[in-house]
Amino acid sequence: MSQEVEVCTLEEGLAQGDLVVVAIPAIHHHTLPKHLFTNKIIVDISNRYPGETQKVSLAEALQEMLPEAQVVKAFNTLSAYVLEREELYCGREVPVCGGTTFARARVMALVRDMGMVPVDKGGLKNARTLEEIPFQFFPEWKVAFIVTGIIFAFFWTIKFFRSQICYNLQKDGDWDWGVFEKLPLSNTQNALAFTGCLLLLLCYIPGMIAAYLQLWRGTKYSRFPGWLDTWLKSRKQLGLLSLLTGCTHGCLAIFLNINWHQAISWTQSIYITCGVLLAAVMTILGVTSLPSVSVKLTWREFSVVQRYLGWISVILLTSHLTFLSILGLMRPLSCYFLLSGPQIMVPVCFLTLMFKIPLVLPCIDSRLTKIRRGYERHNPTDSDNQMPKLIP
């Protein structure tokens, strides 16, 4: 349904309202008619150009130009592409800072009317932080990328020494340079496989550590160590990278290992089946972790998928690795006692499951549930020698 609009001059338009959105580049802010902005709420959506450095934010500079107005920083974290598509910006958080409490409240109301979620960031000095947001480069992925790179390099190096270096050192005669032809495909596929396996375990190990720590402390109100807090916040990224490396490994394995004229043993059948099911479950976990999907799920639906399917994926991973290398796990160590990928990962998988089992026992699970609901175990050293209390 079309709506009528009134075409008017700049002066007439500014006279009709007290909230003005300034949507011009910051280098042109000096051209604004200052006398028309008295007692107005100015919404600054500008961003600096890449590479520019300034001692104060653009919003603070605009406030100095318009001392009789209230400048509020907002919407600078949204691109024009997103603003043109309601399905992309609905439900997104919009940080708002500056001005008086009343001015911020007016702008936050505008944000809500547009279907987004305003986040009050306080005074105008915080605009410096808001103006840095568009230039951030995967800040939440930094830890996950570094961990993934280290793990991949570790397993690739092991495969390189076992398949290329040790093979030639332990054989008689001249070096077989033909084995180095496997470096791009075989070694990469092998390293991706075990990288994906370990990344998946790293998604669930920190949760277990946090659970045991809460049981030991008897409270949920004590902060986790910094390293554990960072680890917990990186689980989503680690899981998605696990899905990526696992799927890439699967594609490479198809080209390397399938032989249509070779009979498949029962261990290979189970190994392949577990691998396919693992890929399917991890795909569900990855898809449901996306904000556009998770926002459509209830808390119970999301928690059931992430919790139970997550541990099912760990069980499938353990089965996949065990049946892959069931005959080679107990072989004597070769290559100067250098462990193979399965000899490293299979024990880690079983240890992860072993430490999870106590947490699902009814007596421990009920205790942990009480703690996470606010129960605090009594500390004998406290001055108030009373019974345990339940904090609402």
Side-chain angles (χ1 to χ4, degrees), residues 3 11 26 67 86-87 111 120 151 193 207 232 236 246-247 249 301 327 351 361 376 379:
Q3 295 181 351
E11 290 77 7
E86 184 177 357
E87 68 277 8
V111 173
D120 192 340
I151 295 174
L232 288 166
K236 174 183 175 180
C247 290
H249 148 69
E301 292 168 343
L327 299 178
L351 281 173
L361 297 177
E376 286 193 289
N379 188 349

Side-chain angles (χ1 to χ4, degrees), residues 336-362:
Y336 304 99
F337 303 100
L338 188 63
L339 293 171
S340 66
Q343 288 172 325
I344 295 173
M345 285 307 307
V346 172
V348 174
C349 288
F350 278 102
L351 281 173
T352 303
L353 292 174
M354 183 181 70
F355 280 101
K356 176 63 177 178
I357 291 174
L359 295 176
V360 300
L361 297 177

Side-chain angles (χ1 to χ4, degrees), residues 156 159-171 174-188 256:
W156 196 94
K159 180 64 175 177
F160 174 69
F161 274 97
R162 288 181 60 88
S163 297
Q164 280 81 37
I165 302 300
C166 291
Y167 170 78
N168 281 290
L169 292 177
Q170 294 175 349
K171 70 183 288 291
D174 297 333
W175 274 44
D176 180 8
W177 295 101
V179 296
F180 288 90
E181 296 177 357
K182 300 179 180 179
L183 281 174
L185 193 58
S186 179
N187 286 33
T188 301
L256 282 171

